[in-house]
Amino acid sequence: MSKVKIPHTDSPNPLLTPFTGIHQTAPFNSVKIEHYLPAFELAIEDARKEIQQIIENQSTPDFANTIVALDTSGEKLDRIKGIFFNLNSAATCDEMQEIAQEIAPKLSDFGNDISLNAELFARIKEVHDRRENLALNAEEATLLEKNYRRFVRSGANLIDADKAKYREITKELSTLGLQYQQNVLTETNAYELLITDEDDLSGLPESIVEMATQTAQSKSKEGWLFNLQYPSYVPFLKYADNRKLREQIFRASSSRANHGNEHDNNAYIRRIVELRLEKAQLLGFKSHAEYKLQERMAETPEKVIRFLDELHQESKPFAVKEFAEVQEFAEKLGFAGSIQRWDWAYYSEKLKSEKYNFTDEEVKPYLQLEKVIDGVFSLARKLYGLRLQENENIEVYHPEVTAYEVFDETDRFIAILYLDFFPRESKRSGAWMTDYRSQSNVNGNSIRPHISLVTNFSKSTENTPSLLTFDEVTTFLHEFGHGLHGMLSQCQFSGTSGTSVYWDFVELPSQIHENWAYEKEWLDQFAVHYQTGEKLPEELIKKIQKAQNFQAAYMMERQLSFAMLDMAYHNREIPVEGDLKTFELNATSSTDLFEPVDGSLQSTSFSHIFSGGYDAGYYSYKWAEVLDADAFTVFQENGIFDRETADSFRKHILEKGGSEHPMILYKAFRGKEATTAALLKRNGLEASPNPSFGGK
Ligand SMILES: [Zn+2]
């Protein structure tokens, strides 16, 4: 391995020398900002050379010298990327963000150099053409197919003129996506609701008012400033008594980028949809949805549409009832007329607190972080026989991060797990699982994974330990589930291991583990009051369970309407005709419970599908829920700590990564395809007796 000297220091670049720490963990202590750029540049150069060697190999292309060689190439670059991008999310600084800007185009050039490399593709194609005679096992066949498709789906099989066209379309699409997003952002930021009359704050919680004071101050304004950012907008609609102002802010949000000005997204949407269709058809698909779904568990647009419709048919009657309940409740509180969209969150919040009457603050004392960690670790032990042991000698990137070695029942080393819980200025918001090294086992060279879970849970104070909300506990279980998918992986190739699965399958391991949070049997093991030691009361657990299903059908219909709109745009064989308002109403009217609002348009700020990568993929939220609910029924039937069931889930799902088609893996665990029944049952939306909604 090469050792480059960087000009202003004498020591070798730790990113480029072999990692010699415990289990070859990342040498966080010695990596300095100035190491990244030279390391990236050299690693990219080395990775290019490795690709060149594959191409120049004089032997006939075969699985080992082409597909495996490609999968194992760029190992050094992956290692550096892992450290840099994970830290850029969890412990960033201005310099890192600058490096990210600088390195992004270089990485994307390198990516293109591979995926547009005709010589490399020729070798892959030669192996692919002979795949029937190569005696490949299932995972090898999957890796071959994955690599072959990666090229074909990027136009490698096209004639030169079409290749040029493909490149043009892709380029225009990436610009359009950015412009679309920019318009949403500009229009989001353009709106301000400045309140100067204190009476208009009526109903808003103190913390929200305080935030609005600070926002106003930060803009040198007198009064209270609200905007369309989520933390300001959502509570305003939920709590503000002033109906006129709720309407105003709602209309502002729902008409973003639909004002016929220079930030209007209507034309962008048409063009994006048209180009996606053109690209898909160039590659031989009927629609963009068909193109995207080739690499999804759901496989075809028809299947997705049937799936959405089935959930819709079952949920709609319940949603109608929920709607009537809110209308009635509003009237009870003195409201006259029909409730509108800007009334929904307001009256729903009041109804919810009347029905369930508990707050996060009541639950938190029972959910002390240290105890929750014990609870999660004991779940891993009960289900999968894992033992997690802190090792202070493993280097970490921040004093708040803890590193664990994970062992199985035979004391075999399985993985490294880093846990990083608390918010910092240098950390982005949210929670995520990531890896520093993925699992692989090529030719007996077993590489075990290094996994990291990052969250933003509230920290302890002088007087109280870190206490989690119930949602934070489910978040922990969710990310831990992703973590198990990474840690327990027993695959051959890094390209098919761990979480390298189709994206409508990746949330199964995470979401299924959330189910334990609602089980008294699990909560009883660790959820005790941090002062009194008293167990989380059963009554409170019941309330949590019930509150979970509050307006489940309404939310289901809302998610379905987004997914239906997404499919309407992307499962079509001709460009969009007519105005988008009509188009949108046609696509979503079956789910809609409100009168349409003038000037409102979902599409012009639907970033998920026009710039967020969820195109023809919005359904996957519900798809994953159906899978996790269906899979969890096996645990419910056999016992939530049943070892045999957990072994089967581990063997068929967690260890298998993306080594085979997810439907094959799922059926191996479940014995059959998932149905929507378990999710509907969990949401309290079981088979409606209403015959008019019975047909499928
Ligand atoms: Zn997730």
Side-chain angles (χ1 to χ4, degrees), residues 354-509:
E354 187 185 88
K355 278 178 105 162
Y356 305 113
N357 192 28
F358 76 94
T359 65
D360 277 351
E361 298 310 309
E362 281 172 67
V363 185
K364 275 166 74 173
Y366 298 92
L367 301 173
Q368 186 184 338
L369 177 61
E370 287 71 21
K371 298 261 166 59
V372 179
I373 295 174
D374 288 347
V376 171
F377 285 5
S378 85
L379 185 64
R381 181 169 43 78
K382 282 194 145 106
L383 295 178
Y384 310 113
L386 300 182
R387 182 167 62 82
L388 290 98
Q389 190 176 307
E390 185 178 346
N391 185 339
E392 288 181 348
N393 297 320
I394 295 174
E395 292 182 25
V396 290
Y397 56 90
H398 190 279
E400 285 170 356
V401 179
T402 316
Y404 297 85
E405 289 172 284
V406 185
F407 300 96
D408 72 5
E409 269 166 327
T410 60
D411 275 335
R412 194 169 50 136
F413 173 72
I414 292 285
I416 295 290
L417 180 68
Y418 300 96
L419 296 181
D420 177 1
F421 287 113
F422 306 119
R424 289 188 289 272
E425 263 185 35
S426 60
K427 192 194 271 192
R428 69 173 166 88
S429 59
W432 61 93
M433 165 270 188
T434 179
D435 66 21
Y436 289 91
R437 186 169 90 167
S438 57
Q439 184 268 330
S440 64
N441 191 358
V442 177
N443 301 327
N445 178 24
S446 172
I447 305 282
R448 294 310 308 170
H450 299 168
I451 305 294
S452 173
L453 310 185
V454 187
T455 64
N456 279 281
F457 297 159
S458 25
K459 223 171 160 170
S460 57
T461 65
E462 220 171 287
N463 304 317
T464 35
S466 170
L467 302 174
L468 304 191
T469 64
F470 187 77
D471 280 352
E472 287 173 333
V473 174
T474 57
T475 300
F476 189 178
L477 285 169
H478 180 104
E479 300 310 332
F480 195 79
H482 282 309
L484 289 166
H485 205 185
M487 292 190 283
L488 293 174
S489 180
Q490 295 289 353
C491 297
Q492 283 173 267
F493 308 110
S494 90
T496 42
S497 75
T499 53
S500 305
V501 299
Y502 285 164
W503 99 343
D504 54 357
F505 187 62
V506 76
E507 297 299 335
L508 169 62

Side-chain angles (χ1 to χ4, degrees), residues 169-328:
I169 295 175
T170 320
K171 204 168 150 199
E172 191 180 343
L173 273 174
S174 70
T175 324
L176 288 170
L178 289 174
Q179 283 165 334
Y180 177 98
Q181 189 48 32
Q182 191 55 50
N183 285 340
V184 176
L185 199 68
T186 307
E187 292 259 300
T188 303
N189 294 336
Y191 177 85
E192 287 181 344
L193 171 62
L194 182 67
I195 291 182
T196 48
D197 182 348
E198 200 166 350
D199 290 349
D200 290 337
L201 300 171
S202 167
L204 291 163
E206 212 171 302
S207 60
I208 303 300
V209 172
E210 204 175 297
M211 200 170 71
T213 312
Q214 281 169 13
T215 313
Q217 277 166 1
S218 74
K219 301 214 160 176
S220 312
K221 290 188 175 163
E222 291 277 325
W224 300 270
L225 196 59
F226 293 87
N227 55 40
L228 300 182
Q229 309 287 353
Y230 191 82
S232 179
Y233 173 76
V234 172
F236 195 90
L237 278 186
K238 231 186 218 180
Y239 300 111
D241 292 332
N242 187 322
R243 186 168 189 242
K244 277 242 143 48
L245 291 179
R246 288 203 312 266
E247 177 176 353
Q248 198 195 99
I249 201 167
F250 174 85
R251 284 184 183 272
S253 175
S254 64
S255 63
R256 278 173 298 161
N258 188 36
H259 293 120
N261 57 14
E262 75 269 35
H263 305 301
D264 192 293
N265 268 338
N266 280 276
Y268 287 105
I269 293 168
R270 283 174 195 288
R271 186 67 182 148
I272 289 170
V273 172
E274 187 184 352
L275 285 175
R276 282 175 176 169
L277 174 62
E278 207 179 317
K279 178 173 140 187
Q281 293 185 335
L282 199 60
L283 294 170
F285 296 89
K286 283 204 294 257
S287 68
H288 181 65
E290 193 184 65
Y291 166 68
K292 293 291 278 195
L293 286 157
Q294 184 190 39
E295 300 219 297
R296 298 282 184 265
M297 185 178 180
E299 289 186 308
T300 64
E302 292 70 34
K303 196 158 180 180
V304 170
I305 288 165
R306 237 182 300 134
F307 169 78
L308 297 174
D309 190 54
E310 187 178 322
L311 285 174
H312 166 62
Q313 298 296 346
E314 298 292 337
S315 309
K316 177 82 186 228
F318 290 94
V320 169
K321 273 187 221 150
E322 289 168 3
F323 189 83
E325 190 185 13
V326 174
Q327 172 75 41
E328 210 172 289

